[in-house]
Amino acid sequence: MEALLFLGFVAIISGEAAVGKYAGDKVLRLKPENEQHLQFIRDVSRSAEVDFWQPHSVELVTTNRSVDFRVGAGWASEVQAGLKKIGLKYDILIENVQNLMEKQFDRNKTDSTGYDYEKYHRWDEIESWIAKITLENPKLVSRFEIGHSYEQRSIYLLRVGKRTGFTKPAIFLDCGIHAREWISPAFCQWFVKEAVRNYGSDSAMTTLLNKLDFLVVPVINVDGYVYSWARDRFWRKTRSRNPGSRCVGTDPNRNFDAKWCSIGASRDPCDDIYCGSHAESEKEVKAVAGFIRQYCGIKAYLTIHSYSQMCLFPYSYTYLLTPNYKELDTMASNAVKALSSLHGTQYEYGPAAIIIYPSAGGSDDWAYDLGIKYSFTFELRDTGTYGFLLPESQIKPTCEETMLAINYIATYVLNHPY
Ligand code: 0X9
Ligand code: ZN
Ligand code: ZN
């Protein structure tokens, strides 16, 4: 008995994801149909322990789309009773968040020699991987430190492409803007691995790497990513302190200088879509934006998020369509067609304001307005069965199918110089 108690104690103090922290938490998908339903959701968000997953804030909730949120174990039955009472239809997406957290790691390591791309990795492992893949592929990969995070971690960029001695057109690809979307950094790592593995053997990849450079930032929001492993699996924002508030962090994807904080963002530091004190207040955002501004020749901007299976393009800050809407729509349509050809995964596509919700300060709109006319946000698997807790067994199929979409866009960009 004593031994058991002792073990339990050790598990609690050393267990990173605080053992049982989410035991009994549920994720509900609500389908609000009228103003009374919306009011109920607003009230719940104030009184109960809830965490909005999709959309990310109560301000973005409307009647024409469903709402996924996590509700604390202690509140679940009360909230469900309230929903029934007012006739707000809902499904239980996740019965017990804790069980699913443990199921994320559903793959046993098979390849004990090399880096395992089918596992989620901690930041220190990713950082060593960045150093190693650079060292092992000097003709193809260069590493740059483009800045530091709030907590002084390095933000790295890998330039992947055959060195030619002159500047090539480039495609910027970033991952890990939002901390809890773990499949995103896994994809950037997969992409670099596939590039170096296929160069010289696969003709399509060889052509792309001969003629283009990929500028890959494997994790932008490093502090948030570390925090999502150490303390709170569902952390989204950066980890910067907000003077005058006890709440920490800014949403990096509301912090870019694109009609900053005008719509679909919050001025409240306690909110998950807090836009920050001013545009580019976050060191991580400033580092990426600064790099892109000074680098000549970026022809496409691609950013990887999760979840909901969507290929989105500007605008987000307005319902207006971009001048090249037709072209972007065709590209997105072909990209998702290529993606679905492998495992049949269905993606929605279109301007983000229309397809998900209007919101300002996003990296895609900012890049577009800077003149990078091919700008896309990918929301990878799934559509809510696991949400942010996508099991490791899905890393491979997810990355493989996503490669097809990215390769399609890269080839298109190569064949449509501007
Ligand atoms: O809301 C976001 O930042 C993105 N969705 S996520 O679930 N990964 O948080 C969508 C970004 C679409 N683009 C812009 N809002 N600019
Ligand atoms: Zn440094
Ligand atoms: Zn995201």
Side-chain angles (χ1 to χ4, degrees):
M1 180 63 188
E2 255 176 42
L4 263 180
L5 268 178
F6 176 72
L7 278 176
F9 180 64
V10 171
I12 287 162
I13 53 168
S14 69
E16 302 255 39
V19 180
K21 191 171 169 183
Y22 303 101
D25 286 17
K26 288 186 180 5
V27 176
L28 307 181
R29 173 165 293 177
L30 319 187
K31 313 234 166 67
E33 285 166 349
N34 55 45
E35 185 50 38
Q36 188 199 10
H37 292 168
L38 295 180
Q39 195 50 49
F40 179 84
I41 296 171
R42 284 183 211 116
D43 293 345
V44 160
S45 78
R46 245 173 284 121
S47 51
E49 193 187 302
V50 298
D51 166 24
F52 284 79
W53 278 20
Q54 212 58 276
H56 318 287
S57 164
V58 67
E59 280 101 287
L60 299 172
V61 170
T62 55
T63 44
N64 51 32
R65 72 188 300 273
S66 62
V67 181
D68 299 351
F69 70 58
R70 175 171 63 91
V71 53
W75 290 92
S77 51
E78 199 177 317
V79 168
Q80 283 172 271
L83 291 167
K84 285 210 186 84
K85 197 163 158 207
I86 61 160
L88 204 175
K89 295 199 187 74
Y90 71 95
D91 296 321
I92 299 175
L93 279 187
I94 300 177
E95 268 291 348
N96 186 332
V97 173
Q98 188 66 34
N99 291 352
L100 226 52
M101 295 224 348
E102 284 147 25
K103 276 194 214 145
Q104 284 174 104
F105 307 105
D106 65 340
R107 238 189 104 266
N108 295 321
K109 193 176 155 91
T110 45
D111 173 9
S112 58
T113 47
Y115 192 76
D116 193 341
Y117 290 91
E118 295 181 51
K119 294 196 73 64
Y120 295 120
H121 292 278
R122 291 168 184 276
W123 171 244
D124 57 335
E125 294 169 334
I126 298 177
E127 192 173 27
S128 322
W129 168 82
I130 290 172
K132 189 157 181 274
I133 198 138
T134 308
L135 214 63
E136 287 173 352
N137 299 278
K139 294 206 172 82
L140 234 37
V141 182
S142 325
R143 184 185 75 166
F144 301 88
E145 188 189 50
I146 61 167
H148 294 93
S149 68
Y150 181 85
E151 291 170 352
Q152 295 305 333
R153 293 184 179 87
S154 300
I155 301 170
Y156 296 109
L157 178 144
L158 294 174
R159 186 186 58 199
V160 185
K162 180 80 183 138
R163 297 275 44 84
T164 56
F166 45 86
T167 326
K168 292 148 69 192
I171 293 182
F172 195 93
L173 168 67
D174 68 51
C175 293
I177 283 192
H178 290 137
R180 61 192 174 187
E181 300 164 9
W182 285 6
I183 188 62
S184 167
F187 176 73
C188 270
Q189 294 167 69
W190 188 278
F191 178 87
V192 175
K193 177 221 17 151
E194 283 296 288
V196 301
R197 186 175 72 89
N198 289 327
Y199 184 77
S201 58
D202 174 85
S203 72
M205 183 59 96
T206 307
T207 305
L208 288 177
L209 294 172
N210 278 338
K211 301 206 170 136
L212 296 170
D213 280 327
F214 290 92
L215 306 168
V216 184
V217 180
V219 187
I220 291 187
N221 178 10
V222 269
D223 298 347
Y225 188 73
V226 168
Y227 195 77
S228 73
W229 276 85
R231 297 268 163 252
D232 181 352
R233 177 65 186 81
F234 301 113
W235 190 257
R236 168 179 168 91
K237 300 188 284 179
T238 61
R239 291 296 303 163
S240 59
R241 302 300 178 272
N242 294 306
S245 170
R246 54 179 182 84
C247 294
V248 170
T250 288
D251 183 347
N253 216 29
R254 299 293 180 278
N255 193 240
F256 281 80
D257 196 3
K259 298 281 186 293
W260 177 78
C261 221
S262 57
I263 189 169
S266 164
R267 302 256 177 191
D268 178 355
C270 294
D271 231 309
D272 250 353
I273 52 166
Y274 176 50
C275 60
S277 55
H278 53 91
E280 295 185 18
S281 61
E282 301 312 285
K283 289 182 70 183
E284 300 80 1
V285 170
K286 206 165 187 59
V288 169
F291 179 88
I292 294 177
R293 264 193 292 265
Q294 57 79 45
Y295 194 99
C296 296
I298 298 180
K299 302 299 178 189
Y301 172 82
L302 308 174
T303 180
I304 309 295
H305 290 251
S306 75
Y307 62 96
S308 42
Q309 294 176 194
M310 289 172 179
C311 175
L312 304 166
F313 51 82
Y315 285 112
S316 288
Y317 64 60
T318 172
Y319 286 110
L320 297 177
L321 300 178
T322 64
N324 65 343
Y325 163 73
K326 275 226 156 77
E327 187 181 26
L328 292 178
D329 198 62
T330 308
M331 289 173 78
S333 159
N334 289 331
V336 309
K337 202 193 285 168
L339 188 151
S340 72
S341 69
L342 195 59
H343 305 292
T345 309
Q346 296 300 312
Y347 267 54
E348 289 179 70
Y349 63 92
I354 298 167
I355 299 293
I356 32 172
Y357 37 70
S359 67
S363 62
D364 47 3
D365 282 359
W366 174 80
Y368 182 84
D369 283 348
L370 192 69
I372 304 173
K373 68 176 181 178
Y374 301 127
S375 177
F376 296 92
T377 295
F378 281 86
E379 298 271 5
L380 304 190
R381 289 192 194 184
D382 57 11
T383 54
T385 309
Y386 295 97
F388 303 116
L389 301 174
L390 193 73
E392 287 179 331
S393 56
Q394 289 200 41
I395 293 177
K396 183 169 191 256
T398 304
C399 291
E400 282 174 340
E401 67 192 11
T402 308
M403 282 302 292
L404 301 179
I406 301 297
N407 286 344
Y408 164 78
I409 292 176
T411 307
Y412 183 95
V413 170
L414 185 59
N415 294 330
H416 296 78
Y418 70 98

